[in-house]
Amino acid sequence: MKNIGLIAPLWDWNVKYPFKTITCYPPLGLAYVASYLEKHGFAVSILDRSAVFAQSHFSMNALNIKTVEWIREFQLEIIGVSCCTGEHGDALKVAAMVNRAFPHIPVVFGGPHVSALAPLLLERYPIIDICVSGEGEISMLEICQSKKLEDIRGISFRKDGQIVNNPPRDVHKNIDDFAFPARHLLDMHFYTKRSTHLVPPLFIRGTDVISSRGCPYNCYFCASKVALGKGVRFQSVDLVIKELELLIDRYHIKALSFVDDMFATKKKRVKEICQKIINKGIHKELKWACQLKADIVDKELLQALKEAGCVLVEYGFESGSQKVLDRANKKAHVSFYYSAAELSRKAGILFQANIIAGLPGETVEDAQMTLSFVKKVKPDWLVLSRFKPLPGSIFYNELIDAGRLSVDIWERLFILEENPFNCSAMSDEQYARMLHHLHRHLFFIRSRKFIFNNFKCGIYHPRLIFYGVNRALNPKFKHLLYSIFR
């Protein structure tokens, strides 16, 4: 029986802004891989460097020492490292650390970033031994079983100085085979502590759940298909309910978030889940949230969600400009957004608006339309993200083909906080000014309940107060404040 270690790296921006690691989400992707390996007789341990970083008082030196000690303690024989684009920098640091201190241990990379760039990563970084593209459960199992690398679908590796790319692995249709994630290998006390991040703006104890894999849509800014494939695969309703009951009984959670790419792809299934939640009395135990697409929302669906204990729905509005939405292939009309907001409010469900600033082709006028839109719909919670061209997305490929990006832009994507890469139709000066304007205005379009709960969260985690103030202040004062609070 081999000892397998799985590592979730630190997000690259956490090194510069460590207070963002105060509230972490469990690495469920690795937990699913770990569960599948355990079912086949392997001993597995998981290290989440974001959690350890927060628990080590944001000391990189302490984090790295604990990582080496963990590898030595569990006598690991294979190490798997998950890698999203935003974790790229720390993932490479981990690989270098392993290569330097434990050169006999093979390092396997996987995740969305790797699925998009496997050959390039192997070419550039000899510290990586194997890359897994697509879902990792079966490929990682076959690697751990010492199957010939040439016979394992969905991986890339080196042989005789050459990079070998095996045929892709078909997606596994029955995802019930992967249930449940190995949460017993995680510090669930840390992940379930009270915060406003799980079901905003509620200050509550909970965790997240994945009930399906994949998305039926093809938004040009999204790269999920490179890892999860096309289409959607669903966990059976009975297993979804069983997992909720397990989380309540074992971890005493009071809230959860379904983090499926799109929870209501099948309305009939969602209504069945809601009915069984009610039948089991789970709606009396849990408040929960999910993500919906605005153009599929109707009164009946929202009523079913409300009765089953759903208190918040998340909408990927992205922009208030129809031109920008069409350019991003959102397949939605702004009018649907206004309707979804109104229906949610009438149903008594809070709603979160997700906005992306700086999408390709966006002008100052488009950004102003987005600001106007948000002011009109008055979301209960708002998430404003800067557009980043993720490897594997349509926009990433388009921008490279147009000569606007270098192929290695991802090496800097998540550390360009003060001078973000500009892919919009605005000048750099206009873009920077608009970002500050949006942050200053949009982050304070909140209800009194939002402010109250964030104040409570700030009592437990004072650095979060600085994070909100930091977003609203003039950039000239940010470095001074950060040096004081650090």
Side-chain angles (χ1 to χ4, degrees), residues 4 36 42 69 129 151-152 188 202 226 241 246 276 285 317-318 324 364-365 383 389 394 400 410 442 466:
I4 313 300
Y36 200 66
F42 291 94
E69 290 175 346
D129 296 299
D151 298 332
I152 302 177
M188 289 302 293
L202 304 183
V226 295
I241 300 302
L246 183 150
K276 291 200 173 186
E285 303 280 343
F317 291 144
E318 323 310 355
V324 173
V364 172
E365 291 73 22
V383 174
I394 300 295
I400 286 181
W410 39 269
L442 299 187
F466 167 69

Side-chain angles (χ1 to χ4, degrees), residues 201 444 446-456:
F444 288 94
R446 306 294 201 216
S447 64
R448 284 180 294 177
K449 192 171 187 179
F450 164 88
I451 297 171
F452 178 68
N453 280 315
N454 270 273
F455 177 74
K456 287 197 299 183

Side-chain angles (χ1 to χ4, degrees), residues 237-352:
V237 172
D238 287 339
L239 277 184
V240 173
I241 300 302
K242 185 176 179 180
E243 185 169 5
L244 301 190
E245 292 177 319
L246 183 150
L247 290 170
I248 294 171
D249 294 340
R250 185 172 297 176
Y251 303 113
H252 312 294
I253 63 169
K254 299 298 181 182
L256 67 85
S257 177
F258 286 98
V259 292
D260 307 39
D261 284 343
M262 195 56 58
F263 182 61
T265 301
K266 287 186 177 180
K267 288 186 181 181
K268 182 179 179 181
R269 174 179 179 269
V270 171
K271 291 175 182 178
E272 185 180 354
I273 290 174
C274 289
Q275 189 57 54
K276 291 200 173 186
I277 285 175
I278 294 172
N279 294 344
K280 293 279 188 175
I282 296 173
H283 65 302
K284 299 176 182 178
E285 303 280 343
L286 288 180
K287 293 179 172 64
W288 53 278
C290 63
Q291 178 166 299
L292 303 179
K293 198 166 187 291
D295 60 336
I296 69 164
V297 169
D298 57 38
K299 181 179 179 181
E300 184 182 359
L301 175 62
L302 290 171
Q303 186 62 34
L305 294 173
K306 173 71 173 178
E307 292 174 357
C310 177
V311 296
L312 177 134
V313 292
E314 179 181 338
Y315 295 118
F317 291 144
E318 323 310 355
S319 174
S321 165
Q322 189 61 50
K323 183 194 75 177
V324 173
L325 295 178
D326 292 343
R327 178 75 180 86
N329 198 42
K330 280 291 292 182
K331 303 294 185 184
H333 197 277
V334 176
S335 61
F336 296 152
Y337 294 176
Y338 285 101
S339 175
E342 183 180 359
L343 287 171
S344 300
R345 189 162 284 113
K346 286 182 177 179
I349 298 179
L350 302 174
F351 73 94
Q352 171 179 313

Side-chain angles (χ1 to χ4, degrees), residues 102-235:
F102 309 95
H104 62 286
I105 302 179
V107 175
V108 182
F109 266 40
H113 186 72
V114 179
S115 299
L117 298 170
L120 183 60
L121 292 174
L122 285 172
E123 179 184 332
R124 291 192 175 197
Y125 306 109
I127 52 178
I128 304 172
D129 296 299
I130 302 171
C131 285
V132 174
S133 299
E135 290 176 321
E137 286 89 347
I138 298 175
S139 295
M140 191 63 180
L141 172 63
E142 293 180 353
I143 291 170
C144 295
Q145 290 173 331
S146 300
K147 189 174 179 179
K148 283 186 178 182
L149 296 183
E150 294 88 344
D151 298 332
I152 302 177
R153 284 182 168 268
I155 71 168
S156 300
F157 60 98
R158 296 184 194 85
K159 182 178 181 181
D160 300 328
Q162 301 295 316
I163 295 174
V164 179
N165 299 303
N166 286 353
R169 180 179 296 279
D170 294 335
V171 295
H172 191 73
K173 293 184 179 180
N174 185 9
I175 63 172
D176 283 359
D177 294 339
F178 300 142
F180 296 117
R183 290 186 176 90
H184 60 279
L185 299 179
L186 303 173
D187 180 1
M188 289 302 293
H189 175 73
F190 175 78
Y191 295 115
T192 58
K193 63 186 178 182
R194 291 191 294 173
S195 78
T196 57
H197 287 68
L198 187 72
V199 185
L202 304 183
F203 184 61
I204 198 165
R205 172 184 173 86
T207 190
D208 46 13
V209 171
I210 301 172
S211 78
S212 65
R213 295 189 183 187
C215 179
Y217 305 102
N218 189 31
C219 300
Y220 287 177
F221 53 80
C222 181
S224 68
K225 281 183 168 54
V226 295
L228 298 176
K230 297 178 180 179
V232 186
R233 291 157 293 147
F234 301 95
Q235 190 175 39

